[in-house]
Amino acid sequence: MTDLTTLKYSEEHEWVALDGAVATVGITDFAADALGDIVFVELPAVGSAFSRGDVFGEAESTKSVSELYAPVTGTITEINQAVVDDPALLNSSPFEDAWLIKVEVADGALDGLLDRDAYVAHTEG
C-alpha cells in the first residue's frame, strides 16, 4: 500500500510521487469515487511537454467526462498502458496500479502542491 502522506496533491485531484527527476502522476481516490465507474482514459504521447495546469488527457465514466490536469511542468517519459487498456483500474487501485503518466521535471516541481493533510481539508471543504 502506498503511503499517502509521501505524495503531493493538486487541487484538481491529481497526486504526484517524485523519484529523483521523475514525477509519477495519477488521480486520487476522491476523484475516482466522484467520477464513478471509469470506462475510458485518454493519455498523451510519450515526449509530449506540458506546463502545470495544462490538460493532458481525460477520464470518461458512466456519469461524465473529466479532464486531467498536469500538476507539474515537464515532458512525458512514460504512460501507463494498463490503465488505457483497463480504465477500471482507476477505481480499484488509484494509488498503486493506476498511475497515469511519468514526467521528467525540474527542481522545485512540487512547489505549490498540497500535502496529504491540506488535500484532505480541501476535499472536505
Side-chain angles (χ1 to χ4, degrees), residues 32-80:
D33 289 344
L35 281 167
D37 294 331
I38 300 170
V39 296
F40 176 77
V41 174
E42 180 180 85
L43 297 176
V46 170
S48 300
F50 292 90
S51 294
R52 182 182 288 191
D54 288 352
V55 173
F56 73 85
E58 67 181 29
E60 182 178 334
S61 71
T62 54
K63 297 194 296 188
S64 67
V65 176
S66 182
E67 293 180 325
L68 303 169
Y69 295 94
V72 294
T73 297
T75 302
I76 308 293
T77 60
E78 187 176 348
I79 66 163
N80 187 349

Short mmCIF file of all heavy atoms in Angstrom, two decimals, residues 32-80:
data_model
loop_
_atom_site.label_atom_id
_atom_site.label_comp_id
_atom_site.label_asym_id
_atom_site.label_seq_id
_atom_site.Cartn_x
_atom_site.Cartn_y
_atom_site.Cartn_z
N ALA A 32 -11.62 9.48 -8.31
CA ALA A 32 -12.15 8.25 -8.88
C ALA A 32 -13.55 7.97 -8.35
O ALA A 32 -14.45 7.60 -9.11
CB ALA A 32 -11.22 7.08 -8.57
N ASP A 33 -13.77 8.19 -7.05
CA ASP A 33 -15.10 7.98 -6.46
C ASP A 33 -16.11 8.97 -7.04
O ASP A 33 -17.25 8.62 -7.32
CB ASP A 33 -15.05 8.12 -4.94
CG ASP A 33 -14.33 6.97 -4.26
OD1 ASP A 33 -14.13 5.91 -4.91
OD2 ASP A 33 -13.96 7.12 -3.08
N ALA A 34 -15.69 10.22 -7.21
CA ALA A 34 -16.59 11.24 -7.75
C ALA A 34 -16.98 10.94 -9.20
O ALA A 34 -18.11 11.19 -9.61
CB ALA A 34 -15.94 12.62 -7.67
N LEU A 35 -16.05 10.39 -9.97
CA LEU A 35 -16.34 10.06 -11.36
C LEU A 35 -17.27 8.87 -11.50
O LEU A 35 -18.05 8.79 -12.43
CB LEU A 35 -15.04 9.76 -12.12
CG LEU A 35 -14.24 10.96 -12.57
CD1 LEU A 35 -12.86 10.53 -13.02
CD2 LEU A 35 -14.96 11.69 -13.69
N GLY A 36 -17.19 7.93 -10.58
CA GLY A 36 -17.96 6.69 -10.71
C GLY A 36 -17.18 5.69 -11.53
O GLY A 36 -15.95 5.73 -11.59
N ASP A 37 -17.87 4.79 -12.19
CA ASP A 37 -17.22 3.73 -12.95
C ASP A 37 -16.53 4.30 -14.19
O ASP A 37 -17.19 4.73 -15.13
CB ASP A 37 -18.24 2.66 -13.37
CG ASP A 37 -18.81 1.92 -12.18
OD1 ASP A 37 -18.12 1.80 -11.16
OD2 ASP A 37 -19.97 1.46 -12.28
N ILE A 38 -15.20 4.27 -14.18
CA ILE A 38 -14.42 4.84 -15.28
C ILE A 38 -14.31 3.81 -16.40
O ILE A 38 -13.92 2.66 -16.16
CB ILE A 38 -13.04 5.30 -14.78
CG1 ILE A 38 -13.24 6.38 -13.69
CG2 ILE A 38 -12.20 5.84 -15.93
CD1 ILE A 38 -12.01 6.77 -12.94
N VAL A 39 -14.67 4.25 -17.62
CA VAL A 39 -14.76 3.32 -18.75
C VAL A 39 -13.79 3.65 -19.89
O VAL A 39 -13.61 2.86 -20.81
CB VAL A 39 -16.20 3.25 -19.30
CG1 VAL A 39 -17.15 2.68 -18.26
CG2 VAL A 39 -16.68 4.61 -19.77
N PHE A 40 -13.15 4.85 -19.84
CA PHE A 40 -12.25 5.25 -20.92
C PHE A 40 -11.23 6.23 -20.36
O PHE A 40 -11.58 7.13 -19.59
CB PHE A 40 -13.04 5.91 -22.06
CG PHE A 40 -12.18 6.44 -23.17
CD1 PHE A 40 -11.64 5.59 -24.12
CD2 PHE A 40 -11.90 7.79 -23.27
CE1 PHE A 40 -10.84 6.08 -25.16
CE2 PHE A 40 -11.11 8.29 -24.29
CZ PHE A 40 -10.58 7.43 -25.24
N VAL A 41 -9.97 6.07 -20.78
CA VAL A 41 -8.91 7.01 -20.40
C VAL A 41 -8.11 7.34 -21.64
O VAL A 41 -7.73 6.45 -22.41
CB VAL A 41 -7.97 6.40 -19.33
CG1 VAL A 41 -6.78 7.31 -19.06
CG2 VAL A 41 -8.72 6.12 -18.04
N GLU A 42 -7.88 8.64 -21.84
CA GLU A 42 -7.03 9.10 -22.94
C GLU A 42 -5.80 9.77 -22.34
O GLU A 42 -5.94 10.67 -21.51
CB GLU A 42 -7.79 10.09 -23.80
CG GLU A 42 -6.99 10.61 -24.97
CD GLU A 42 -7.81 11.59 -25.81
OE1 GLU A 42 -7.84 12.78 -25.45
OE2 GLU A 42 -8.41 11.14 -26.80
N LEU A 43 -4.61 9.32 -22.76
CA LEU A 43 -3.36 9.87 -22.26
C LEU A 43 -2.53 10.40 -23.42
O LEU A 43 -2.70 9.97 -24.56
CB LEU A 43 -2.58 8.79 -21.49
CG LEU A 43 -3.27 8.25 -20.24
CD1 LEU A 43 -2.45 7.12 -19.63
CD2 LEU A 43 -3.49 9.36 -19.22
N PRO A 44 -1.59 11.31 -23.15
CA PRO A 44 -0.76 11.89 -24.20
C PRO A 44 0.32 10.93 -24.68
O PRO A 44 0.60 9.92 -24.05
CB PRO A 44 -0.14 13.10 -23.51
CG PRO A 44 -0.03 12.67 -22.09
CD PRO A 44 -1.26 11.84 -21.83
N ALA A 45 0.96 11.30 -25.77
CA ALA A 45 2.07 10.52 -26.30
C ALA A 45 3.34 10.79 -25.48
O ALA A 45 3.52 11.89 -24.95
CB ALA A 45 2.33 10.90 -27.76
N VAL A 46 4.18 9.77 -25.37
CA VAL A 46 5.49 9.95 -24.76
C VAL A 46 6.22 11.03 -25.55
O VAL A 46 6.15 11.08 -26.78
CB VAL A 46 6.27 8.62 -24.75
CG1 VAL A 46 7.71 8.84 -24.35
CG2 VAL A 46 5.59 7.62 -23.83
N GLY A 47 6.89 11.93 -24.84
CA GLY A 47 7.60 13.03 -25.47
C GLY A 47 6.81 14.34 -25.46
O GLY A 47 7.38 15.39 -25.72
N SER A 48 5.52 14.26 -25.14
CA SER A 48 4.71 15.47 -25.05
C SER A 48 5.15 16.29 -23.85
O SER A 48 5.48 15.75 -22.80
CB SER A 48 3.22 15.12 -24.88
OG SER A 48 2.74 14.35 -25.96
N ALA A 49 5.15 17.60 -24.02
CA ALA A 49 5.53 18.51 -22.93
C ALA A 49 4.30 19.27 -22.46
O ALA A 49 3.47 19.69 -23.27
CB ALA A 49 6.60 19.48 -23.39
N PHE A 50 4.21 19.44 -21.13
CA PHE A 50 3.08 20.13 -20.53
C PHE A 50 3.56 21.07 -19.44
O PHE A 50 4.57 20.82 -18.79
CB PHE A 50 2.09 19.13 -19.90
CG PHE A 50 1.39 18.28 -20.92
CD1 PHE A 50 1.92 17.07 -21.32
CD2 PHE A 50 0.21 18.71 -21.49
CE1 PHE A 50 1.28 16.29 -22.27
CE2 PHE A 50 -0.45 17.94 -22.44
CZ PHE A 50 0.10 16.73 -22.83
N SER A 51 2.80 22.13 -19.25
CA SER A 51 3.02 23.04 -18.12
C SER A 51 1.99 22.74 -17.06
O SER A 51 0.89 22.24 -17.37
CB SER A 51 2.87 24.49 -18.57
OG SER A 51 3.89 24.83 -19.49
N ARG A 52 2.32 23.06 -15.83
CA ARG A 52 1.38 22.86 -14.72
C ARG A 52 0.06 23.54 -15.07
O ARG A 52 0.04 24.67 -15.53
CB ARG A 52 1.93 23.44 -13.43
CG ARG A 52 0.99 23.21 -12.24
CD ARG A 52 1.51 23.82 -10.98
NE ARG A 52 2.64 23.04 -10.51
CZ ARG A 52 3.19 23.20 -9.32
NH1 ARG A 52 2.75 24.12 -8.49
NH2 ARG A 52 4.22 22.46 -8.96
N GLY A 53 -1.02 22.81 -14.91
CA GLY A 53 -2.35 23.33 -15.18
C GLY A 53 -2.88 23.00 -16.56
O GLY A 53 -4.08 23.13 -16.81
N ASP A 54 -2.01 22.54 -17.47
CA ASP A 54 -2.47 22.16 -18.81
C ASP A 54 -3.28 20.87 -18.73
O ASP A 54 -3.01 19.99 -17.90
CB ASP A 54 -1.28 21.88 -19.75
CG ASP A 54 -0.53 23.12 -20.18
OD1 ASP A 54 -0.99 24.24 -19.89
OD2 ASP A 54 0.54 22.95 -20.81
N VAL A 55 -4.23 20.72 -19.63
CA VAL A 55 -4.96 19.46 -19.77
C VAL A 55 -4.05 18.46 -20.48
O VAL A 55 -3.49 18.77 -21.53
CB VAL A 55 -6.26 19.67 -20.57
CG1 VAL A 55 -6.94 18.34 -20.86
CG2 VAL A 55 -7.20 20.61 -19.82
N PHE A 56 -3.87 17.28 -19.89
CA PHE A 56 -3.02 16.27 -20.52
C PHE A 56 -3.78 15.03 -20.95
O PHE A 56 -3.22 14.14 -21.58
CB PHE A 56 -1.81 15.90 -19.64
CG PHE A 56 -2.14 15.05 -18.44
CD1 PHE A 56 -2.24 13.67 -18.53
CD2 PHE A 56 -2.32 15.64 -17.20
CE1 PHE A 56 -2.52 12.89 -17.41
CE2 PHE A 56 -2.59 14.87 -16.07
CZ PHE A 56 -2.70 13.49 -16.19
N GLY A 57 -5.06 14.96 -20.64
CA GLY A 57 -5.84 13.80 -21.02
C GLY A 57 -7.24 13.90 -20.46
O GLY A 57 -7.65 14.96 -19.97
N GLU A 58 -7.97 12.77 -20.54
CA GLU A 58 -9.31 12.76 -19.96
C GLU A 58 -9.66 11.38 -19.47
O GLU A 58 -9.11 10.37 -19.93
CB GLU A 58 -10.35 13.28 -20.95
CG GLU A 58 -10.58 12.42 -22.16
CD GLU A 58 -11.62 13.00 -23.12
OE1 GLU A 58 -11.77 14.23 -23.18
OE2 GLU A 58 -12.28 12.21 -23.80
N ALA A 59 -10.59 11.37 -18.52
CA ALA A 59 -11.15 10.14 -18.00
C ALA A 59 -12.66 10.23 -18.17
O ALA A 59 -13.27 11.23 -17.79
CB ALA A 59 -10.79 9.96 -16.52
N GLU A 60 -13.23 9.20 -18.76
CA GLU A 60 -14.67 9.17 -19.00
C GLU A 60 -15.29 8.08 -18.15
O GLU A 60 -14.78 6.96 -18.08
CB GLU A 60 -14.92 8.88 -20.48
CG GLU A 60 -16.39 8.86 -20.86
CD GLU A 60 -16.60 8.62 -22.34
OE1 GLU A 60 -15.69 8.94 -23.15
OE2 GLU A 60 -17.66 8.11 -22.69
N SER A 61 -16.36 8.45 -17.48
CA SER A 61 -17.07 7.49 -16.65
C SER A 61 -18.49 7.33 -17.19
O SER A 61 -18.87 7.99 -18.16
CB SER A 61 -17.13 7.96 -15.20
OG SER A 61 -18.01 9.06 -15.07
N THR A 62 -19.26 6.49 -16.54
CA THR A 62 -20.65 6.32 -16.94
C THR A 62 -21.45 7.57 -16.62
O THR A 62 -22.54 7.75 -17.15
CB THR A 62 -21.27 5.10 -16.23
OG1 THR A 62 -21.09 5.24 -14.81
CG2 THR A 62 -20.61 3.80 -16.69
N LYS A 63 -20.89 8.47 -15.79
CA LYS A 63 -21.59 9.71 -15.40
C LYS A 63 -21.13 10.93 -16.17
O LYS A 63 -21.93 11.82 -16.44
CB LYS A 63 -21.40 9.99 -13.90
CG LYS A 63 -21.99 8.94 -13.00
CD LYS A 63 -22.09 9.37 -11.56
CE LYS A 63 -20.80 9.62 -10.86
NZ LYS A 63 -20.95 9.86 -9.43
N SER A 64 -19.83 11.03 -16.50
CA SER A 64 -19.33 12.26 -17.10
C SER A 64 -17.94 12.05 -17.71
O SER A 64 -17.34 10.99 -17.57
CB SER A 64 -19.26 13.37 -16.05
OG SER A 64 -18.27 13.06 -15.09
N VAL A 65 -17.44 13.12 -18.33
CA VAL A 65 -16.07 13.15 -18.83
C VAL A 65 -15.33 14.20 -18.02
O VAL A 65 -15.83 15.30 -17.81
CB VAL A 65 -16.02 13.51 -20.33
CG1 VAL A 65 -14.58 13.63 -20.80
CG2 VAL A 65 -16.76 12.46 -21.14
N SER A 66 -14.14 13.86 -17.54
CA SER A 66 -13.35 14.79 -16.73
C SER A 66 -11.98 14.97 -17.36
O SER A 66 -11.34 14.00 -17.75
CB SER A 66 -13.21 14.23 -15.31
OG SER A 66 -12.49 15.13 -14.51
N GLU A 67 -11.56 16.22 -17.47
CA GLU A 67 -10.22 16.50 -17.97
C GLU A 67 -9.19 16.21 -16.88
O GLU A 67 -9.48 16.37 -15.69
CB GLU A 67 -10.13 17.95 -18.43
CG GLU A 67 -10.99 18.23 -19.64
CD GLU A 67 -10.91 19.66 -20.11
OE1 GLU A 67 -10.78 20.57 -19.28
OE2 GLU A 67 -11.00 19.86 -21.34
N LEU A 68 -8.01 15.79 -17.30
CA LEU A 68 -6.90 15.54 -16.40
C LEU A 68 -5.92 16.69 -16.54
O LEU A 68 -5.53 17.04 -17.66
CB LEU A 68 -6.22 14.21 -16.76
CG LEU A 68 -7.13 12.98 -16.75
CD1 LEU A 68 -6.43 11.79 -17.38
CD2 LEU A 68 -7.59 12.67 -15.34
N TYR A 69 -5.53 17.29 -15.42
CA TYR A 69 -4.67 18.47 -15.43
C TYR A 69 -3.27 18.12 -14.93
O TYR A 69 -3.13 17.44 -13.92
CB TYR A 69 -5.26 19.57 -14.54
CG TYR A 69 -6.58 20.08 -15.07
CD1 TYR A 69 -7.77 19.55 -14.60
CD2 TYR A 69 -6.63 21.07 -16.04
CE1 TYR A 69 -8.99 20.01 -15.08
CE2 TYR A 69 -7.83 21.54 -16.53
CZ TYR A 69 -9.01 21.00 -16.05
OH TYR A 69 -10.21 21.45 -16.54
N ALA A 70 -2.27 18.60 -15.64
CA ALA A 70 -0.88 18.36 -15.24
C ALA A 70 -0.58 19.09 -13.94
O ALA A 70 -0.68 20.32 -13.88
CB ALA A 70 0.06 18.83 -16.34
N PRO A 71 -0.20 18.37 -12.88
CA PRO A 71 0.14 19.03 -11.62
C PRO A 71 1.58 19.54 -11.59
O PRO A 71 1.96 20.25 -10.66
CB PRO A 71 -0.07 17.92 -10.58
CG PRO A 71 0.19 16.66 -11.35
CD PRO A 71 -0.25 16.93 -12.76
N VAL A 72 2.36 19.17 -12.61
CA VAL A 72 3.76 19.59 -12.71
C VAL A 72 4.08 19.94 -14.16
O VAL A 72 3.37 19.53 -15.08
CB VAL A 72 4.73 18.47 -12.23
CG1 VAL A 72 4.57 18.20 -10.74
CG2 VAL A 72 4.53 17.19 -13.03
N THR A 73 5.15 20.69 -14.35
CA THR A 73 5.63 21.03 -15.68
C THR A 73 6.73 20.04 -16.06
O THR A 73 7.61 19.76 -15.24
CB THR A 73 6.19 22.46 -15.69
OG1 THR A 73 5.13 23.36 -15.40
CG2 THR A 73 6.81 22.81 -17.03
N GLY A 74 6.67 19.52 -17.28
CA GLY A 74 7.71 18.60 -17.72
C GLY A 74 7.35 17.87 -18.99
O GLY A 74 6.38 18.22 -19.67
N THR A 75 8.13 16.84 -19.30
CA THR A 75 7.97 16.06 -20.52
C THR A 75 7.60 14.63 -20.15
O THR A 75 8.23 14.02 -19.27
CB THR A 75 9.28 16.07 -21.33
OG1 THR A 75 9.61 17.43 -21.62
CG2 THR A 75 9.14 15.29 -22.62
N ILE A 76 6.58 14.10 -20.82
CA ILE A 76 6.11 12.74 -20.56
C ILE A 76 7.20 11.75 -20.99
O ILE A 76 7.65 11.76 -22.14
CB ILE A 76 4.81 12.44 -21.34
CG1 ILE A 76 3.74 13.50 -21.11
CG2 ILE A 76 4.31 11.03 -21.03
CD1 ILE A 76 3.19 13.58 -19.73
N THR A 77 7.59 10.88 -20.05
CA THR A 77 8.57 9.85 -20.36
C THR A 77 7.95 8.46 -20.48
O THR A 77 8.55 7.55 -21.03
CB THR A 77 9.68 9.81 -19.30
OG1 THR A 77 9.10 9.51 -18.02
CG2 THR A 77 10.44 11.13 -19.24
N GLU A 78 6.74 8.31 -19.91
CA GLU A 78 6.08 7.00 -19.92
C GLU A 78 4.59 7.21 -19.64
O GLU A 78 4.22 8.10 -18.89
CB GLU A 78 6.71 6.11 -18.83
CG GLU A 78 6.26 4.68 -18.83
CD GLU A 78 6.99 3.83 -17.78
OE1 GLU A 78 8.00 4.30 -17.20
OE2 GLU A 78 6.53 2.71 -17.54
N ILE A 79 3.76 6.38 -20.27
CA ILE A 79 2.34 6.33 -19.92
C ILE A 79 2.04 4.94 -19.41
O ILE A 79 2.76 3.98 -19.71
CB ILE A 79 1.42 6.70 -21.10
CG1 ILE A 79 1.51 5.65 -22.21
CG2 ILE A 79 1.70 8.10 -21.62
CD1 ILE A 79 0.36 5.72 -23.21
N ASN A 80 0.96 4.82 -18.64
CA ASN A 80 0.56 3.53 -18.10
C ASN A 80 -0.47 2.91 -19.05
O ASN A 80 -1.66 3.18 -18.95
CB ASN A 80 -0.03 3.70 -16.70
CG ASN A 80 -0.31 2.37 -16.02
OD1 ASN A 80 -0.26 1.32 -16.65
ND2 ASN A 80 -0.61 2.44 -14.74
#
